[in-house]
């Protein structure tokens, strides 16, 4: 693993630690609050984030790179979302530090048995790119600042 990947994995660990804190602080009365993502309320965004985080963590941890699902149809987030984030973060960290993101094409993971479009599976760029997207889109959440708005994700 190159030093750039290692430092990015370290940053991802910080991001996911903060995410677990935020997810753990969400209350039932916040579930239908709006978020910066206009198409998602808190409940939908929570389902989206937990579903894909656990999917990618399981896919990277699988020696064959097989993720358990290709979409989130029927996915129900666990009751303890913060514990699910911590578990997925640990699983993803172990897999990435073991070189899972550096697997040769068709790529490091297949979603539900299918490679992503153009025959490529999500790899290092996608995982680290999504972490960067989260940092850019939600800086108060990932920088460890207190969330000061009505919604846990706003």
């Amino acid at each position: 693993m190159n030093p750039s990947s290692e430092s990015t994995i370290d940053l991802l660990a910080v991001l996911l630690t903060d995410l677990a804190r935020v997810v753990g602080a969400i209350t039932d009365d916040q579930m239908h609050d709006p978020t910066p993502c206009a198409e998602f309320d808190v409940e939908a965004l929570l389902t989206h984030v937990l579903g894909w985080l656990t999917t990618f963590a399981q896919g990277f941890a699988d020696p064959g790179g097989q993720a358990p699902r290709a979409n989130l149809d029927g996915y129900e987030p666990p009751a303890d979302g913060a514990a699910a984030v911590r578990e997925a973060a640990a699983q993803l960290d172990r897999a990435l530090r073991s070189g899972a993101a550096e697997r040769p094409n068709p790529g490091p993971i297949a979603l539900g048995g299918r490679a992503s479009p153009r025959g490529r599976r999500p790899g290092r760029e996608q995982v680290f790119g999504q972490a960067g997207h989260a940092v850019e889109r939600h800086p108060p959440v990932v920088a460890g600042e207190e969330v000061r708005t009505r919604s846990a994700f706003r």
Side-chain angles (χ1 to χ4, degrees):
M1 176 182 335
N2 68 52
S4 175
S5 292
E6 193 164 333
S7 65
T8 303
I9 294 168
D10 291 341
L11 292 173
L12 182 61
V14 171
L15 171 87
L16 294 175
T17 297
D18 278 353
L19 178 62
R21 180 187 56 79
V22 170
V23 167
I26 296 172
T27 62
D28 287 342
D29 63 321
Q30 292 176 304
M31 287 298 183
H32 298 291
D33 285 352
T35 70
C37 301
E39 66 274 17
F40 294 116
D41 64 6
V42 171
E43 183 176 34
L45 185 57
L46 184 62
T47 298
H48 176 79
V49 169
L50 290 178
W52 286 117
L53 175 61
T54 57
T55 296
F56 277 93
Q58 291 169 18
F60 277 97
D62 182 78
Q66 181 62 55
R69 64 185 67 82
N71 59 55
L72 296 181
D73 293 346
Y75 173 79
E76 291 290 328
D80 188 346
V85 171
R86 288 189 296 272
E87 181 181 317
Q91 188 176 41
L92 189 56
D93 188 76
R94 284 188 304 272
L96 293 173
R97 290 187 193 282
S98 297
E102 308 299 330
R103 292 179 187 143
N105 272 338
I109 67 171
L111 298 174
R114 298 181 306 142
S116 60
R118 297 188 207 130
R120 291 189 46 110
R121 296 181 187 172
R124 180 178 182 279
E125 295 80 16
Q126 288 80 10
V127 170
F128 299 149
Q130 288 301 312
H133 167 75
V135 170
E136 291 169 9
R137 181 94 189 230
H138 309 287
V141 173
V142 298
E145 297 175 20
E146 200 164 317
V147 178
R148 295 187 180 94
T149 58
R150 302 181 331 120
S151 171
F153 282 104
R154 198 158 199 203

